[in-house]
Amino acid sequence: QVDTEAADFEANLTSLQQHMQRLNLCLEKEKEKKELVSKEHTALQTKWKNVEVQSREFLDLQYTPCLRERQEHQRGKELLRRQKQERRRAEAKRKADEQLQVQIRKKRAELEIEEKKKQKLRLAQAKQQPGAAGAEGGAPGAPGAPVLDPPKTPEELD
């Protein structure tokens, strides 16, 4: 019976040894696969970096000049738009100034006409009242005549 148990024990040891050898072989194969995958991964990373570099170079050579031209064209269009806008503003300001000058001239003319009417009225009143001419009004420049301010220039009106 001891021999049988020893033989069984030896058979179990042999079986375990074979099983261990198979596991070690599987582990080695897995290690080899892992190393192979790692090498492939590294190679793919290197290739990918090269592709990135090449694509950047391609874009720099092909796309960037087009982009620069397009940006310069946009800047030119924007500059022209601003210049036109400035010209329109300047023209509108000039027209507004001209209209203001016309209004000022009209108002001056109205004031001058009004002042002439007042002077004529004063003269007529002074002629009707001969004694009051020296005291009240009379011809401009005469003693006792009111002193009139000269008409104002557009700059003074502003």
Side-chain angles (χ1 to χ4, degrees), residues 107-122:
K107 191 66 174 177
R108 275 191 194 153
E110 289 173 9
L111 290 174
E112 285 178 14
I113 290 171
E114 192 69 33
E115 190 60 36
K116 284 181 183 178
K117 284 181 184 178
K118 286 181 184 178
Q119 284 179 355
K120 284 182 183 179
L121 184 62
R122 282 189 216 127

Side-chain angles (χ1 to χ4, degrees), residues 20-143:
M20 287 295 289
Q21 286 173 351
R22 273 187 258 129
L23 282 177
N24 283 335
L25 186 61
C26 285
L27 282 175
E28 285 181 31
K29 286 181 181 177
E30 287 297 317
K31 261 188 188 177
E32 288 174 4
K33 284 181 184 177
K34 190 175 180 181
E35 287 176 7
L36 183 63
V37 167
S38 177
K39 286 178 184 177
E40 287 177 5
H41 182 261
T42 305
L44 283 174
Q45 279 183 325
T46 305
K47 284 182 182 178
W48 179 252
K49 286 180 184 177
N50 289 339
V51 167
E52 284 180 331
V53 168
Q54 289 172 355
S55 66
R56 268 191 239 114
E57 289 173 356
F58 173 78
L59 289 175
D60 285 347
L61 293 174
Q62 299 295 322
Y63 180 71
T64 304
C66 296
L67 178 65
R68 283 189 197 121
E69 288 173 11
R70 196 167 52 240
Q71 287 173 338
E72 288 173 12
H73 181 69
Q74 277 301 116
R75 279 188 231 118
K77 283 172 47 178
E78 184 66 22
L79 180 63
L80 285 175
R81 187 188 62 77
R82 275 190 249 122
Q83 287 174 346
K84 284 180 183 178
Q85 195 174 28
E86 285 298 318
R87 275 187 247 133
R88 276 182 271 179
R89 284 183 191 147
E91 184 65 22
K93 186 178 183 322
R94 186 187 60 77
K95 284 182 181 179
D97 287 346
E98 285 178 6
Q99 288 178 346
L100 182 63
Q101 291 300 321
V102 167
Q103 290 174 348
I104 289 171
R105 283 188 218 110
K106 283 182 182 177
K107 191 66 174 177
R108 275 191 194 153
E110 289 173 9
L111 290 174
E112 285 178 14
I113 290 171
E114 192 69 33
E115 190 60 36
K116 284 181 183 178
K117 284 181 184 178
K118 286 181 184 178
Q119 284 179 355
K120 284 182 183 179
L121 184 62
R122 282 189 216 127
L123 284 174
Q125 288 175 349
K127 285 182 182 178
Q128 289 176 357
Q129 301 173 356
E136 178 71 29

